[in-house]
Amino acid sequence: MSYSTRIEQIAGHLNYPKGLLSGHVAIITGSGQGIGAETARLFANEGAKVVVSDIDASKAKDVTNQINESGGSAIAVPGDMLDSAYIDELVKKAADFGNGKIHIIVNNAGYTWDGVIHKMTDKQWDNIIALHNTAPFKLVRAAAPYFRVKDGEPRNIINISSTSGLHGNAGQANYALAKAGVVGLTKTIAKEWGPAFGVRANTVAFGHIMTRLTAAKEDGAFVTTPDGQKIALGIPQAQKAGRGAGGEHQDIPLRRPGTATEAASSILAVASPLFSYVNGQTISVTGGRNM
């Protein structure tokens, strides 16, 4: 077989004229902005029917409108992931949107609420664990009837983690534990739902990606808890400047942070048929940073 013929064969296998995710129904939490919004757009561009979930109804609607106006298919189902009733509603509306089917869940919603161990409050601790561990578990549990099926269609769950969960990070005991826990949840899903139902579950762990969580704290970004408390987001400028010997980004071999689109592209890759034999894994998207 000639080299050119082999290339043509490979190209044929990679030719998805209707998109890598054509016909798939995907729930993406925290998709009103940042990595989640970019993931929603990329999924829609590859043929998925996207359920945009975000606590900010206005932002969720904006992303949904952009997708639909660009020829994609999306609905907004805004709500609070800490509300069990909302999770049930999200699954029901996603299944209705998908004519009784859901193929993909991306557990992306979350934020940081930092503090050193000896000053961290119970509220900080409980909030972050609930948002990054309990909420994804409840969503996966609620969606179980749509994943534990044998219809021959691919299904997968992608849980978003962080290098803080893989290596720990000073000032983030709550977030580090939560993001480490995500890895264990992922591996358990893979082992429980893989053998009989072929469900794939993988974790994507991000390093420094340019989002509101890694922007300068002085920019003033914040989230508001259900009880009205404002939580400042970002990294203090002094801390950012001191990272790594020689200044910011020196601890990243590529010498730059990743973009939200690059982060979302890694999620798309994991969700796609190109990763059909990858299961129970943690994929680090860090620009080469390993600490």
Side-chain angles (χ1 to χ4, degrees):
M1 181 184 298
S2 69
Y3 179 76
S4 60
T5 302
R6 180 59 180 152
I7 291 297
E8 289 174 3
Q9 277 190 345
I10 294 172
H13 284 299
L14 299 181
N15 180 24
Y16 297 89
K18 295 181 180 179
L20 288 167
L21 303 180
S22 178
H24 293 189
V25 179
I27 297 173
I28 305 173
T29 69
S31 50
Q33 60 191 317
I35 295 170
E38 286 301 302
T39 303
R41 294 184 187 104
L42 289 180
F43 274 35
N45 191 52
E46 291 297 334
K49 299 179 68 174
V50 179
V51 180
V52 178
S53 164
D54 201 278
I55 196 169
D56 190 317
S58 176
K59 290 179 179 178
K61 184 177 179 180
D62 287 344
V63 172
T64 300
N65 288 342
Q66 290 171 14
I67 289 172
N68 290 328
E69 290 168 3
S70 299
S73 179
I75 60 169
V77 185
D80 182 2
M81 289 299 296
L82 298 180
D83 180 355
S84 296
Y86 166 68
I87 290 176
D88 291 339
E89 176 192 4
L90 175 61
V91 170
K92 182 181 184 305
K93 289 186 175 180
D96 289 345
F97 185 51
N99 296 316
K101 294 189 177 184
I102 303 172
H103 300 88
I104 302 168
I105 292 174
V106 180
N107 276 309
N108 169 74
Y111 52 80
T112 56
W113 193 355
D114 296 347
V116 291
I117 292 171
H118 62 288
K119 293 183 179 180
M120 183 169 290
T121 66
D122 286 352
K123 185 175 181 180
Q124 280 177 284
W125 181 268
D126 294 342
N127 179 276
I128 293 301
I129 301 303
L131 182 58
H132 292 273
N133 286 162
T134 307
F137 162 73
K138 286 184 175 181
L139 177 55
V140 171
R141 182 179 63 182
Y146 302 98
F147 282 77
R148 293 170 54 82
V149 294
K150 298 180 180 180
D151 60 4
E153 297 181 12
R155 284 175 175 78
N156 67 87
I157 294 168
I158 301 170
N159 293 319
I160 303 305
S161 185
S162 163
T163 51
S164 293
L166 304 184
H167 308 295
N169 194 29
Q172 291 190 324
N174 53 357
Y175 187 70
L177 176 73
K179 288 307 190 183
V182 161
V183 174
L185 175 62
T186 297
K187 291 180 179 294
T188 301
I189 296 168
K191 290 181 177 180
E192 286 194 10
W193 293 0
F197 307 105
V199 175
R200 294 192 299 115
N202 292 288
T203 303
V204 178
F206 292 122
H208 189 162
I209 306 296
M210 290 186 292
T211 69
R212 58 183 181 157
L213 300 187
T214 57
K217 199 166 190 175
E218 291 79 1
D219 289 349
F222 65 89
V223 294
T224 304
T225 63
D227 64 0
Q229 181 171 351
K230 290 184 177 181
I231 301 170
L233 302 176
I235 303 170
Q237 283 282 25
Q239 183 179 336
K240 288 168 66 73
R243 282 190 165 180
E248 191 177 7
H249 310 321
Q250 293 305 303
D251 57 341
I252 304 174
L254 289 182
R255 294 296 189 269
R256 65 174 180 84
T259 67
T261 301
E262 287 176 315
S265 295
S266 69
I267 298 172
L268 171 61
V270 175
S272 79
L274 305 180
F275 271 55
S276 60
Y277 199 60
V278 178
N279 193 26
Q281 303 304 305
T282 300
I283 294 91
S284 293
V285 180
T286 67
R289 184 173 182 267
N290 293 306
M291 58 178 290

